[in-house]
Amino acid sequence: MSLSAALSYGSLATKARLAPYSNKSKNKANAYTSNQAHGFTLLEILVVLVLVGLVSSLVMQGFSFTINLQDRLKRQLINNQIHDLQEIWFRQVTRSFIETVPNENQVAFRGTSTTITGTALLDLTGNAGIPTNTSWLVENTEQGQQLSYTSESIPKTIVANWNTNNLRFQFLGHDGELYDEWPSNPGDKNIPKGILLSSSSEEPVFWYISISNTRAPPVETYEFN
């Protein structure tokens, strides 16, 4: 046998011996590839579940924060509207106080740091043009202080509440000074130019009302023939 023929025969014999091992490796690779193509491992599923849980948690937290913020804004808006309405009630009634009472049954204007009494042309229900004895009161409560209203036809009504303890009335005189009582001088029959309801506590209050209507409207009489 020649040398080349011997080498060729040896190469073929070596390939024949290695063929079973090569086929086993290919079969293992094909099996692994087949498993990868048909499903996920348990670790991959756990990772996906964790990520989905984290994303869901963040979304729910953001949604809850948005809802709570919206509720707080609504409550704040409602409270602001209520406070505006309360101030309008106080302003409209207080502006209608008159200086000269039409008869002896009417009350002249008097004021202290906690009480205002006088004759007004407008009551809390909106009835206008009829002189009515009217009072505003600052009263202490368990939570702070409140502003109450009363008149000849309306029982005492709570108009507003504040978490404060130094709410008070002050009266602007014609000399530009603020007074804690009115009249500022004994025998003075004028009403103040304005009334200030204020508090400097954690819940500040600053309601200033200019009293513009200082005369009762004249009553005209007619004779019919």
Side-chain angles (χ1 to χ4, degrees):
M1 180 182 293
S2 64
L3 178 60
S4 60
L7 292 175
S8 176
Y9 176 78
S11 176
L12 291 175
T14 302
K15 289 181 179 181
R17 288 195 300 271
L18 294 177
Y21 299 101
S22 177
N23 292 333
K24 289 181 180 180
S25 299
K26 289 181 179 180
N27 291 335
K28 289 182 179 180
N30 292 333
Y32 178 78
T33 304
S34 177
N35 291 334
Q36 287 288 85
H38 289 87
F40 299 96
T41 65
L42 180 61
L43 179 60
E44 290 172 335
I45 294 175
L46 291 176
V47 170
V48 171
L49 291 176
V50 170
L51 292 177
V52 171
L54 290 175
V55 172
S56 301
S57 177
L58 292 175
V59 171
M60 291 303 297
Q61 288 180 1
F63 182 74
S64 177
F65 175 79
T66 302
I67 295 298
N68 292 333
L69 180 61
Q70 186 178 15
D71 290 341
R72 290 198 299 269
L73 290 176
K74 285 182 178 180
R75 288 195 297 269
Q76 184 65 36
L77 179 60
I78 292 173
N79 290 335
N80 290 340
Q81 291 175 341
I82 292 175
H83 290 162
D84 290 343
L85 184 59
Q86 292 166 341
E87 184 176 357
I88 289 173
W89 288 341
F90 179 69
R91 183 180 301 278
Q92 289 181 343
V93 174
T94 304
R95 282 175 61 89
S96 70
F97 277 118
I98 58 176
E99 186 173 279
T100 304
V101 295
N103 57 63
E104 61 183 10
N105 295 324
Q106 306 300 324
V107 178
F109 186 90
R110 294 288 184 273
T112 66
S113 60
T114 58
T115 306
I116 297 175
T117 58
T119 301
L121 297 177
L122 180 69
D123 64 17
L124 201 60
T125 62
N127 294 325
I130 302 175
T132 304
N133 293 335
T134 301
S135 298
W136 288 101
L137 308 171
V138 171
E139 300 174 311
N140 295 324
T141 65
E142 294 181 357
Q143 292 77 25
Q145 290 180 297
Q146 67 184 21
L147 177 66
S148 302
Y149 168 89
T150 183
S151 69
E152 297 175 84
S153 58
I154 301 176
K156 186 168 71 172
T157 303
I158 299 174
V159 175
N161 291 278
W162 291 280
N163 183 20
T164 182
N165 57 8
N166 59 359
L167 190 68
R168 62 173 180 168
F169 294 117
Q170 289 182 291
F171 308 93
L172 180 65
H174 296 272
D175 57 358
E177 297 292 331
L178 283 174
Y179 297 92
D180 293 328
E181 294 186 359
W182 195 268
S184 56
N185 297 316
D188 189 355
K189 296 183 179 180
N190 295 325
I191 64 175
K193 292 179 62 178
I195 298 175
L196 175 64
L197 176 64
S198 64
S199 170
S200 58
S201 62
E202 295 180 358
E203 188 176 359
V205 180
F206 191 90
W207 291 359
Y208 175 76
I209 294 87
S210 175
I211 303 178
S212 57
N213 191 355
T214 59
R215 294 287 189 276
V219 177
E220 297 182 0
T221 58
Y222 299 90
E223 294 183 0
F224 297 93
N225 297 327

